[in-house]
Amino acid sequence: MSTAERLIETTRELLWERGYVGTSPKAIQQRAGAGQGSMYHHFSGKPDLALAAIRRSAEEMQAKAEQQFCGPGTALERLTAYLRREREVLKGCPIGRLTQDPDVMADPELRRPVNETFAWLRGRLTGLLTEAREQGELPAALDPAGTASTVVAVLQGGYVLARAAGSDEPFHQAVDGILGLLAGHATAPAPAPAPSHDH
């Protein structure tokens, strides 16, 4: 791994663990095993490195989501696979946690990849829910865009509840809850026609 790569990966880890203020250039250099000169050779400063790290986290989150979104099964099965996939719940969402970081939110450049990632996720989920509706898995009255925002909000809220409780159980309950709501909306198969008694 190149020095630039080590610096980006280290910054990603530290942002996830400590937030922007807690991620000092010195801490980055120590954990990455890189000198100050090396860091400033590749990046103009901490904001530049943080932006590269946030973009990398965003790309990774999208790539992981796409594995389920493009996987086998019906639209609802793919959505379920996405919601139930393995996550480091108690560490929180690496992108969602940045929304609680005032320094990241105050900087339009740092906020942009966070906002774009959530916009992308809502868009992909809207497409999946639209597909499920068109395939008859969900009722025609379902609002795909509103439901997509609800799914993202439930996931992010699930991380918060889990971290507050010190247990991943509330996260899994939240996922079960949203899947239960969607299952309740799932279109029941048409009843089989009654056998004819005409002779």
Side-chain angles (χ1 to χ4, degrees), residues 36-114:
Q36 185 174 341
S38 184
M39 177 174 156
Y40 290 102
H41 170 73
H42 294 288
F43 302 96
S44 61
K46 178 179 157 180
D48 184 35
L49 180 50
L51 181 60
I54 292 168
R55 283 187 177 141
R56 179 69 58 80
S57 290
E59 288 164 11
E60 187 177 279
M61 181 174 159
Q62 291 179 29
K64 281 184 177 176
E66 282 294 353
Q67 288 176 354
Q68 281 85 41
F69 295 156
C70 298
T74 66
L76 266 186
E77 285 168 347
R78 282 177 275 143
L79 175 62
T80 301
Y82 167 70
L83 290 173
R84 292 207 187 282
R85 82 152 191 252
E86 189 97 4
R87 289 175 168 87
E88 292 186 79
V89 174
L90 293 179
K91 282 182 77 175
C93 172
I95 296 298
R97 283 196 65 183
L98 294 170
T99 64
Q100 297 164 39
D101 193 314
D103 293 274
V104 173
M105 292 298 100
D107 185 325
E109 282 299 304
L110 296 178
R111 189 176 69 241
R112 184 174 295 119
V114 175

Side-chain angles (χ1 to χ4, degrees), residues 2-3 17 19 21 33 39 50 58 63 70 79 82 86 106 116 126-127 138 142 153 166 171 192:
S2 71
T3 304
E17 292 166 18
V21 170
M39 177 174 156
C70 298
L79 175 62
Y82 167 70
E86 189 97 4
E116 286 172 353
T126 298
L138 292 169
L142 182 108
F171 178 90

Side-chain angles (χ1 to χ4, degrees), residues 134-198:
E134 288 168 356
Q135 298 298 322
E137 290 185 274
L138 292 169
L142 182 108
D143 171 16
T147 306
S149 286
T150 302
V151 169
V152 175
V154 165
L155 271 184
Q156 292 302 314
Y159 281 118
V160 171
L161 294 175
R163 284 172 61 79
S167 162
D168 58 7
E169 187 59 31
F171 178 90
H172 297 303
Q173 283 179 333
V175 167
D176 290 345
I178 192 71
L179 288 172
L181 289 171
L182 287 172
H185 280 291
T187 308
S196 172
H197 293 296
D198 297 336

